[in-house]
Amino acid sequence: QVQFVESGGGLVQAGESLRISCAIFGYTEGNYCMGWFRQASGKKREAVAAIDYEGSTSYADSVKDRFAISKDAGKKFLYLDMNSLKPEDSAVYYCAAVRGTWLSPQLMISGQYDVDYWGEGTPVTISS
């Protein structure tokens, strides 16, 4: 059973940077498309960054050029580096994964599919 534990969320001021992490437990061999999602209060959950098993990435337009997704070579951590943060980036951030090689990072950002694994989320608040 794969489990994710997010950490690193908190309160920062607009314009600052923050890195959030997702520790991966129970990883089994196989390929995944992994991503970061966020859900602001009263809004739908949305994908903001995705990375496939080969390291290709994709981003939502709202975070492009400000956020960067990465993973460690040991496949134990997924990261999201967030720069030039804005109050509208405030949300609970979740890491997630879809098994297999069929889902591209671009489709994870814009498509509809079932996620196989979710983390519990870490809250990020940006003050103006």
Side-chain angles (χ1 to χ4, degrees), residues 17 24 37 57 66 71-72 88 90 112 125:
S17 298
I24 304 167
F37 292 66
T57 59
R66 298 190 298 122
K71 55 185 178 181
D72 74 315
E88 51 264 43
S90 298
Q112 294 186 347
T125 304

Side-chain angles (χ1 to χ4, degrees), residues 103-114:
L103 185 67
S104 69
Q106 292 79 8
L107 191 58
M108 177 169 260
I109 297 297
S110 62
Q112 294 186 347
Y113 46 85
D114 292 325

Side-chain angles (χ1 to χ4, degrees), residues 26-53:
Y27 172 80
T28 58
E29 288 301 315
N31 294 316
Y32 299 80
C33 188
M34 301 189 70
W36 285 97
F37 292 66
R38 69 185 182 187
Q39 186 167 19
S41 179
K43 295 189 177 181
K44 292 175 61 176
R45 190 173 298 190
E46 60 174 350
V48 295
I51 186 167
D52 71 7
Y53 63 101

Side-chain angles (χ1 to χ4, degrees), residues 1-65:
Q1 180 74 10
V2 176
Q3 292 183 320
F4 298 146
V5 178
E6 299 93 336
S7 62
L11 173 64
V12 298
Q13 292 188 331
E16 292 185 341
S17 298
L18 190 68
R19 167 179 267 203
I20 55 178
S21 303
C22 174
I24 304 167
F25 299 94
Y27 172 80
T28 58
E29 288 301 315
N31 294 316
Y32 299 80
C33 188
M34 301 189 70
W36 285 97
F37 292 66
R38 69 185 182 187
Q39 186 167 19
S41 179
K43 295 189 177 181
K44 292 175 61 176
R45 190 173 298 190
E46 60 174 350
V48 295
I51 186 167
D52 71 7
Y53 63 101
E54 294 181 321
S56 296
T57 59
S58 187
Y59 299 92
D61 288 343
S62 59
V63 307
K64 199 172 293 182
D65 299 324

Side-chain angles (χ1 to χ4, degrees), residues 80-126:
L80 186 66
D81 289 296
M82 303 182 287
N83 301 302
S84 302
L85 283 161
K86 305 174 181 180
E88 51 264 43
D89 293 320
S90 298
V92 178
Y93 283 73
Y94 302 87
C95 62
V98 175
R99 288 191 303 263
T101 60
W102 63 273
L103 185 67
S104 69
Q106 292 79 8
L107 191 58
M108 177 169 260
I109 297 297
S110 62
Q112 294 186 347
Y113 46 85
D114 292 325
V115 170
D116 292 306
Y117 305 108
W118 285 104
E120 293 295 320
T122 185
V124 174
T125 304
I126 314 303

